[in-house]
Amino acid sequence: MITKNISIASDLIRNGKLVSFPTETVYGLGANINNIDAIRSIFRIKGRPSTNPLIVHTYSLEKALHLFDFFEMNNIKNTIMKIGFEFWPGPLTIVYKANPNISDIVTASSGYVGVRIPNNELALQLLKTADVPIAAPSANKSGHISPTDVTHVYNEFKDDEVTILDGGDIRTFNNGIGIESTIIKLDTGKITILRSGGISYNDLDNFIKKERLPFELEIIKKMSDLKKGEIAPGQAITHYAPKNIKTVMIKISKPLKLTDISDDKSEIAILDYGRNALVFSDKIAKYLDLSEASDISEAMLNLYNYLRVIENCKLVKKLYIITDDQKNNLGIQDRIFRAASGNIITV
Ligand code: TXA
Ligand code: MG
């Protein structure tokens, strides 16, 4: 069922049903964290390994703080309050020790919980009306492209018992981001970025310095150091890949020439960035540009949508995604790297 009615959606959540809802990043597949059967059904319906914890969503800083256990670590508590006050509602997930009353299924028995307040009116209304924290991964089958439009969620779960709160296309939202939240984990003296996303490294670094917070900011591992396997729970090297299409990431330092790609042109798609592969536009099966103006926010908003458009093109057997190597777009580079299962060429 697809609905625009918040009270229907929140009753379903409270009663242990799954409801997909829009956020400013991607659509989530939500369940009441107090209902174990509902939480289990998220894992079942997504095909998600039980080792991969879920992010818990709530609507206020005060509610968020209750989800953690500070063991009288007031320094950490104050820091989370400051970071939360600055970046929430917004595309940032904070991971810290979990309140023991949160189920091990949510935390994947890690003892840590990820918490976020989404910056979207429908999501916030749902959270307030249901008035329970909602555990929600992205509303896609495990490993598939994350959903940024109500139709993406519908196509993913049309055979499952999932109600969708219809927010339309995230690209039309005031605060739309289009890729998932940045995830940070707090330890004594250290804040580690587990996943790059809607909040950039510089946003966090500037804030930590401005507030003189006694924490070093680290990124868990550079993308280029990634090997097969996982760097953090759920950070598999193949993720977001269009089905049945071999995908390659191209790092460019100059516009692409026709001779740079030797494949049969009738079978390839190019996802361009900043008109760098424009010579291919009328010569291949599908050509799209994430942002003609090389605007990273626009590219993030288009990425998952365009990957699905290309996935649905029957002619396409191979996809090239163009990226340039700017420091401040680690979130989108990470998604492209995983969509390409780590296959990179440099031109
Ligand atoms: O923007 C987002 O974060 C979206 C929207 C719906 O909020 N959610 C999302 O959830 O991307 P998901 O499950 O697709 O990705 C969550 C990531 C996973 O890689 C998971 O391993 C990590 O967050 N994560 C969640 N809880 C964690 C924890 N306690 N410790 C470490 N990583 C955690
Ligand atoms: Mg996901």
Side-chain angles (χ1 to χ4, degrees):
M1 178 177 65
I2 298 180
T3 181
K4 294 195 173 182
N5 188 314
I6 297 279
S7 61
I8 290 177
S10 65
D11 284 349
L12 287 166
I13 285 279
R14 290 182 68 84
N15 293 325
K17 303 290 184 209
L18 298 191
V19 175
S20 174
F21 60 98
T23 80
E24 81 282 31
T25 59
V26 300
Y27 274 75
L29 180 62
N32 178 346
I33 61 159
N34 302 318
N35 188 311
I36 298 302
D37 288 339
I39 300 290
R40 284 211 176 92
S41 61
I42 290 184
F43 286 86
R44 191 180 63 245
I45 283 178
K46 271 189 66 111
R48 183 180 180 99
S50 59
T51 49
N52 194 359
L54 302 177
I55 294 174
V56 179
H57 299 70
T58 185
Y59 62 86
S60 74
L61 187 51
E62 194 197 335
K63 300 261 176 198
L65 294 173
H66 286 306
L67 296 164
F68 298 114
D69 190 339
F70 295 109
F71 302 101
E72 297 178 8
M73 295 287 286
N74 285 329
N75 173 30
I76 299 262
K77 184 175 182 186
N78 286 338
T79 301
I80 291 183
M81 283 172 71
K82 281 186 181 157
I83 294 176
F85 193 76
E86 174 75 10
F87 293 101
W88 283 341
L92 182 73
T93 295
I94 301 179
V95 172
Y96 189 63
K97 291 185 179 136
N99 184 319
N101 65 23
I102 298 177
S103 157
D104 281 347
I105 305 175
V106 172
T107 64
S109 302
S110 63
Y112 283 79
V113 64
V115 177
R116 158 169 133 79
I117 304 180
N119 189 14
N120 171 261
E121 213 32 62
L122 280 176
L124 290 169
Q125 280 178 29
L126 176 68
L127 286 158
K128 281 179 197 157
T129 313
D131 204 19
V132 287
I134 298 179
S138 52
N140 50 277
K141 299 279 179 180
S142 194
H144 195 216
I145 305 163
S146 304
T148 56
D149 187 295
V150 65
T151 59
H152 301 165
V153 183
Y154 176 77
N155 290 334
E156 214 74 9
F157 295 111
K158 52 180 176 300
D159 300 326
D160 300 297
E161 203 191 319
V162 173
T163 300
I164 309 171
L165 180 60
D166 183 1
D169 186 336
I170 284 177
R171 294 181 296 181
T172 64
F173 295 180
N174 287 337
N175 312 308
I177 302 287
I179 67 168
E180 295 87 341
S181 59
T182 298
I183 303 177
I184 56 171
K185 182 171 181 177
L186 271 83
D187 289 299
T188 314
K190 195 172 77 175
I191 295 178
T192 310
I193 298 179
L194 299 180
R195 175 177 75 182
S196 298
I199 299 287
S200 72
Y201 178 92
N202 286 354
D203 294 337
L204 289 166
D205 196 43
N206 290 341
F207 183 72
I208 289 168
K209 290 193 173 121
K210 186 177 93 193
E211 296 292 319
R212 299 175 192 274
L213 301 178
F215 290 86
E216 285 290 322
L217 183 62
E218 302 185 341
I219 299 190
I220 187 157
K221 216 165 188 194
K222 286 213 290 301
M223 225 173 39
S224 50
D225 295 339
L226 278 176
K227 295 267 156 30
K228 284 255 181 286
E230 309 202 326
I231 53 162
Q235 298 292 80
I237 202 161
T238 299
H239 199 160
Y240 321 108
K243 285 178 196 149
N244 305 322
I245 297 177
K246 179 163 172 47
T247 302
V248 178
M249 172 173 179
I250 308 191
K251 282 196 175 176
I252 50 148
S253 51
K254 54 182 185 318
L256 222 55
K257 298 196 293 290
L258 286 173
T259 48
D260 288 330
I261 289 178
S262 57
D263 307 86
D264 179 349
K265 302 240 176 340
S266 67
E267 293 186 346
I268 67 166
I270 291 185
L271 202 42
D272 201 355
Y273 179 68
R275 297 162 68 91
N276 274 300
L278 202 56
V279 287
F280 287 88
S281 61
D282 56 357
K283 301 204 164 40
I284 55 177
K286 190 78 187 172
Y287 171 88
L288 290 167
D289 197 323
L290 289 170
S291 169
E292 292 188 358
S294 303
D295 178 273
I296 204 65
S297 304
E298 186 186 15
M300 292 199 291
L301 280 171
N302 285 326
L303 179 68
Y304 291 143
N305 198 297
Y306 286 0
L307 285 175
R308 281 182 188 256
V309 169
I310 289 167
E311 184 178 68
N312 291 329
C313 287
K314 296 279 172 293
L315 292 174
V316 175
K317 301 223 164 33
K318 193 161 180 184
L319 164 64
Y320 290 93
I321 310 178
I322 312 283
T323 126
D324 63 8
D325 207 2
Q326 300 298 319
K327 280 274 169 304
N328 219 18
N329 45 15
L330 293 174
I332 193 165
Q333 284 189 47
D334 168 78
R335 303 312 185 275
I336 295 172
F337 179 80
R338 289 177 209 282
S341 309
N343 296 311
I344 307 185
I345 57 176
T346 307
V347 174

